[in-house]
Amino acid sequence: MPSFESWGRYPKAKQELKQLFWSQDFPLHDDLHSFQLPAGMGRSYGDVCLNDGNTLLLTRGLNRLVAFDPNTGVLCCESGVTLAEILDFALPHGWFLPVTPGTKFVTVGGAIANDVHGKNHHVAGTFGRYVRRFGLARSDGTRLECSPNRNSEWYSATIGGLGLTGLIDWAEIQLKPAVSRMICCQAVQFHGLEEFVALSEEKGGCEYTVAWIDSVRTNGKAVRGVFMCGDHDRTPEPRKAMSKFKLAVPIDLPGFVLNRASVGLFNTLYFHKQVKKQAAKVIDYEPFFYPLDSVLHWNRVYGKHGLLQFQCVIPSSDGLSAMREILDVVQKSGLASFLSVLKVFGNLPSPGMMSFPMPGITLTLDFPIRPPKSFSLVDQLGEMTLAAGGRIYPAKDARMTPVQFRSFYPNHLDFTRYVDPRFSSSFWRRVNGE
Ligand SMILES: Cc1cc2nc3c(=O)[nH]c(=O)nc-3n(C[C@H](O)[C@H](O)[C@H](O)COP(=O)(O)OP(=O)(O)OC[C@H]3O[C@@H](n4cnc5c(N)ncnc54)[C@H](O)[C@@H]3O)c2cc1C
């Protein structure tokens, strides 16, 4: 029986899968007893794209580009089109994604429903800001066209609406001009969160900024990391696609492969890969934006039990001391986060009433699942985020409690009015204590 997993492969869910190929395939007429949920590429890590005991509507078959204006960069497509497909089509015409997450293997529907952010959040905000309009199909057969001026309350509820307001069947997106596929980037080593924040300010004029940190080695010492920033190269060049050859992790590796010693060694090698404190180069956009996409199924490295991701944002006011405490707790836990990323979010508002980003510092961590230690650590980080007035990203979450959810997302009551009565998800039932 075909199955559907989220990228973290936790929790496991048993659900009926229904493939949609045409927008008219929805609503379903033979499924009146279970709750439904649209799902794209399953690149969310936790259970926001799962619907245990119910039905998943697989949208990848809604994969047609509908219209494109090469003069304005406005693209209309079905919701199962991936960001990779948009780039393949639009870059040769001189257009790029306005916002992209760290993988291009996500659908337009998924990018809207989680209102994803990227390395340019400080200057561009979230993906939802570039969605001019979309179609929303409800289980009662209603079809709504939503935009900032039309059905605007549905527009706001559906951007960052976690797939619960109905099926997005098409969307119109504003792309941005790019004359080259190359990115001029710099990497700067830093020691300490203060240095990270200073670099974020100093390089804030760069369109893309992000930092990798070594979360294993804090041990009383200042956290070390590499701050990366970049801008699109403005020199036009023949837009040749890179080779599509990809490595793949063929099997689940044993869980012990990623341990504190191996991650610590990797971090030391990575930190010293760059011999100088500062380095600059021009690289293709793929390794710059999507370093992990070059290894297919890289999530198998975490073993068959999967991984827990954790992404929080801590508001700017008290960001540094709370972040320092969080990193200290991670370091003392003895668990190693393989990929640890810091970024300063900007203050451009999102149109979505339930969107995750807010001004502050965001931290992303991941841990192989080793019960009970990995669960209790992530739970503790959730409580620390709550105490610091921050919030956790549902797309990367498998542990948020109902109390935390209500505090992180103060618009949740208003949002509930827009949830389709035939829709639900494993995440939604969990954070509502069901
Ligand atoms: C390597 C990696 C890096 C990532 N980096 C980032 C990052 O930098 N920033 C960031 O924000 N996220 C990031 N993510 C998370 C990812 O971008 C989001 O989880 C994204 O929403 C996944 O899209 P998807 O198509 O896989 O959707 P799924 O994961 O399948 O679903 C996500 C949500 O969208 C809903 N949905 C899907 N299609 C529709 C539709 N047609 N109509 C209505 N609802 C729908 C689902 O119900 C679900 O709630 C990353 C993920 C990975 C694996």
Side-chain angles (χ1 to χ4, degrees):
M1 185 177 141
S3 63
F4 186 97
E5 291 185 313
S6 66
W7 196 246
R9 308 174 79 192
Y10 176 86
K12 307 286 181 205
K14 283 199 175 135
Q15 49 221 336
E16 190 167 347
L17 305 181
K18 300 261 183 184
Q19 291 272 2
L20 303 180
F21 295 99
W22 299 98
S23 164
Q24 293 81 345
D25 294 343
F26 181 78
L28 307 178
H29 296 296
D30 57 344
D31 183 14
L32 302 172
H33 303 293
S34 73
F35 288 104
Q36 299 157 24
L37 182 76
M41 292 288 283
R43 258 24 182 218
S44 302
Y45 283 84
D47 54 2
V48 84
C49 59
L50 301 178
N51 204 5
D52 194 28
N54 290 279
T55 303
L56 271 191
L57 307 169
L58 304 182
T59 61
R60 263 298 278 149
L62 305 175
N63 58 3
R64 284 152 284 245
L65 299 176
V66 179
F68 178 63
D69 182 340
N71 296 315
T72 60
V74 174
L75 172 84
C76 183
C77 64
E78 291 184 322
S79 62
V81 168
T82 62
L83 300 190
E85 289 162 345
I86 293 182
L87 284 168
D88 284 347
F89 168 78
L91 198 49
H93 293 280
W95 295 92
F96 199 78
L97 295 164
V99 166
T100 177
T103 171
K104 61 182 177 166
F105 299 125
V106 309
T107 61
V108 165
I112 297 174
N114 274 326
D115 196 15
V116 298
H117 57 270
K119 294 181 173 69
N120 59 355
H121 185 273
H122 61 294
V123 288
T126 61
F127 190 84
R129 290 173 61 91
Y130 304 90
V131 178
R132 291 161 53 101
R133 49 194 187 115
F134 57 81
L136 185 68
R138 304 265 299 168
S139 63
D140 62 3
T142 317
R143 306 245 156 193
L144 299 173
E145 183 179 315
C146 307
S147 72
N149 308 317
R150 203 159 168 198
N151 295 309
S152 58
E153 68 286 15
W154 292 95
Y155 178 80
S156 169
T158 301
I159 294 178
L162 311 173
L164 295 162
T165 61
L167 172 79
I168 302 164
D169 51 357
W170 59 270
E172 193 178 87
I173 299 153
Q174 176 66 62
L175 303 179
K176 69 167 192 188
V179 293
S180 161
R181 56 182 291 132
M182 306 304 282
I183 304 285
C184 306
C185 60
Q186 281 179 49
V188 188
Q189 291 177 344
F190 64 88
H191 288 88
L193 287 174
E194 285 80 3
E195 224 179 287
F196 159 74
V197 172
L199 277 168
S200 301
E201 276 164 22
E202 185 191 321
K203 308 280 184 190
C206 283
E207 179 159 9
Y208 302 106
T209 65
V210 74
W212 166 86
I213 55 164
D214 177 358
S215 63
V216 173
R217 192 189 162 266
T218 43
N219 202 9
K221 299 180 191 133
V223 62
R224 66 177 175 180
V226 180
F227 185 92
M228 285 161 272
C229 58
D231 286 295
H232 290 273
D233 189 3
R234 297 193 203 292
T235 321
E237 34 86 25
R239 296 188 184 90
K240 235 174 40 223
M242 290 231 323
S243 145
K244 293 282 172 198
F245 174 76
K246 294 207 187 312
L247 291 170
V249 178
I251 51 161
D252 295 325
L253 296 188
F256 58 77
V257 169
L258 280 188
N259 57 34
R260 216 178 142 71
S262 62
V263 174
L265 178 64
F266 171 85
N267 286 353
T268 300
L269 292 174
Y270 187 84
F271 185 78
H272 291 295
K273 181 174 82 126
Q274 176 179 322
V275 221
K276 292 191 201 137
K277 181 171 165 54
Q278 186 154 339
K281 57 185 172 180
V282 181
I283 61 170
D284 191 87
Y285 79 88
E286 297 218 39
F288 181 77
F289 288 108
Y290 313 117
L292 293 169
D293 282 353
S294 58
V295 185
L296 296 175
H297 306 298
W298 61 261
N299 53 348
R300 290 180 179 165
V301 169
Y302 292 79
K304 64 178 187 305
H305 298 299
L307 71 141
L308 281 181
Q309 267 256 340
F310 171 82
Q311 182 173 359
C312 66
V313 54
I314 305 292
S316 318
S317 48
D318 196 24
L320 276 193
S321 60
M323 199 53 85
R324 202 170 290 117
E325 281 167 29
I326 287 179
L327 288 170
D328 207 37
V329 164
V330 173
Q331 199 278 324
K332 288 191 178 125
S333 74
L335 292 176
S337 164
F338 184 53
L339 285 171
S340 311
V341 174
L342 274 180
K343 157 133 193 90
V344 172
F345 277 157
N347 54 13
L348 290 172
S350 160
M353 66 167 74
M354 295 285 284
S355 289
F356 159 70
M358 63 164 141
I361 304 179
T362 183
L363 168 70
T364 308
L365 302 165
D366 60 13
F367 304 98
I369 290 190
R370 305 239 166 82
K373 230 177 162 185
S374 44
F375 292 127
S376 51
L377 172 62
V378 169
D379 293 348
Q380 187 179 357
L381 301 183
E383 286 302 297
M384 294 173 82
T385 304
L386 183 69
R391 66 168 66 123
I392 291 174
Y393 190 14
K396 309 260 180 102
D397 171 68
R399 299 293 293 179
M400 197 188 300
T401 65
V403 171
Q404 291 172 351
F405 175 70
R406 288 195 289 272
S407 168
F408 294 155
Y409 293 94
N411 293 332
H412 69 278
L413 279 182
D414 197 17
F415 171 71
T416 306
R417 297 194 290 126
Y418 299 96
V419 173
D420 189 301
R422 304 262 353 108
F423 276 36
S424 182
S425 68
S426 297
F427 172 86
W428 189 239
R429 290 186 290 279
R430 172 163 61 86
V431 298
N432 280 292
E434 291 168 24

